Amino acid sequence: MLNQKQINYVLETIGQMFPNAHCELNHRNPFELTIAVMLSAQCTDALVNRVTPSLFHKYHEPEDYLAVPLEELQHDIRSIGLYRNKARHIRQMCARLIEEYDGRIPDSMEELIKLPGIGRKTANVILSVAFGVPAIAVDTHVERVTKRLGICRWKDSVFEVEKTLMKRVPKEKWSETHHRLIFFGRYHCKAQHPNCPECPLLDLCREGRKRMKRTNQAKNDVIGHA
């Protein structure tokens, strides 16, 4: 596990690599962001961004999502993974917004996670991006990167990763750290093909060192059999 000095170095380095990291889901307001984040579960932001232009042109308010049959909404998002469940959750969420929140997205964790289809990760994204509230959303990229680097333990749950980052990162840097870790995982430390040979954090990364050792061993085996 990395100590605080090493963690600070890691975050500074990632910040230098991706100083302009940001939410890549296209949206114009908190409601559209909420819909986009719900659609992004187990799906890439790029795919969501291909669907939302026409979706947001057709649907503007929570009432719009309830004014059409469920099958029509499913058809409108059919290129998104798990589109049937997501369409159902979107309609349930919109109904709750109208019933309890005057059609507006609430701006607290306690209220957001009461909405159907919204867990801590989605709520943290909404709080951070839509309302400017310091938050760390732990998606697959954040979880993977923090465990590979040794900021968190392999066995840590998503909530434990979030708690560790909240403890180790100054609160005023939570949101920017969240986005930078995502960019680092999305564009550099990828799940299947991480760019270990060109990584400035290789010496600190327990996963990277293992991968490079295996790669070098494989090369030596090939040379040895040549």
Side-chain angles (χ1 to χ4, degrees), residues 14-34:
I14 292 176
Q16 293 169 1
M17 294 174 69
F18 302 101
N20 300 313
H22 59 279
C23 176
E24 293 189 297
L25 291 169
N26 295 331
H27 64 281
R28 295 170 295 187
N29 53 58
F31 178 63
E32 288 188 352
L33 175 65
T34 301

Side-chain angles (χ1 to χ4, degrees), residues 53-110:
S54 59
L55 191 72
F56 293 160
H57 179 76
K58 179 176 180 179
Y59 304 95
H60 301 278
E61 305 291 341
E63 291 83 357
D64 298 333
Y65 288 90
L66 299 175
V68 301
L70 174 61
E71 293 75 17
E72 183 172 343
L73 178 57
Q74 290 176 346
H75 180 270
D76 290 336
I77 63 171
R78 66 189 182 283
S79 60
I80 298 282
L82 305 175
Y83 69 93
R84 291 187 177 87
N85 286 336
K86 291 177 181 179
R88 186 175 69 255
H89 285 152
I90 287 172
R91 283 169 56 89
Q92 292 172 344
M93 186 272 295
C94 288
R96 186 73 60 83
L97 283 181
I98 295 170
E99 293 169 2
E100 299 185 20
Y101 301 98
D102 195 29
R104 298 173 181 269
I105 299 295
D107 60 359
S108 72
M109 172 65 72
E110 294 73 18

Side-chain angles (χ1 to χ4, degrees), residues 98-188:
I98 295 170
E99 293 169 2
E100 299 185 20
Y101 301 98
D102 195 29
R104 298 173 181 269
I105 299 295
D107 60 359
S108 72
M109 172 65 72
E110 294 73 18
E111 298 302 320
L112 282 168
I113 59 177
K114 292 179 182 178
L115 297 173
I118 294 184
R120 285 192 64 87
K121 187 204 80 170
T122 300
N124 276 324
V125 173
I126 296 168
L127 289 173
S128 174
V129 177
F131 299 111
V133 176
I136 296 178
V138 180
D139 69 352
T140 57
H141 299 299
V142 174
E143 182 179 10
R144 179 176 70 254
V145 166
T146 54
K147 290 182 177 181
R148 280 180 173 175
L149 286 168
I151 296 175
C152 299
R153 301 172 299 178
W154 289 116
K155 65 179 182 179
D156 282 350
S157 67
V158 170
F159 185 48
E160 287 172 329
V161 171
E162 181 185 339
K163 289 194 297 183
T164 296
L165 289 173
M166 291 171 68
K167 179 180 179 181
R168 297 299 192 95
V169 178
K171 187 173 183 177
E172 65 272 14
K173 295 184 177 181
W174 284 358
S175 294
E176 68 179 36
T177 296
H178 150 240
H179 291 304
R180 288 171 177 176
L181 287 172
I182 288 177
F183 267 51
F184 184 76
R186 181 176 291 163
Y187 299 113
H188 182 80

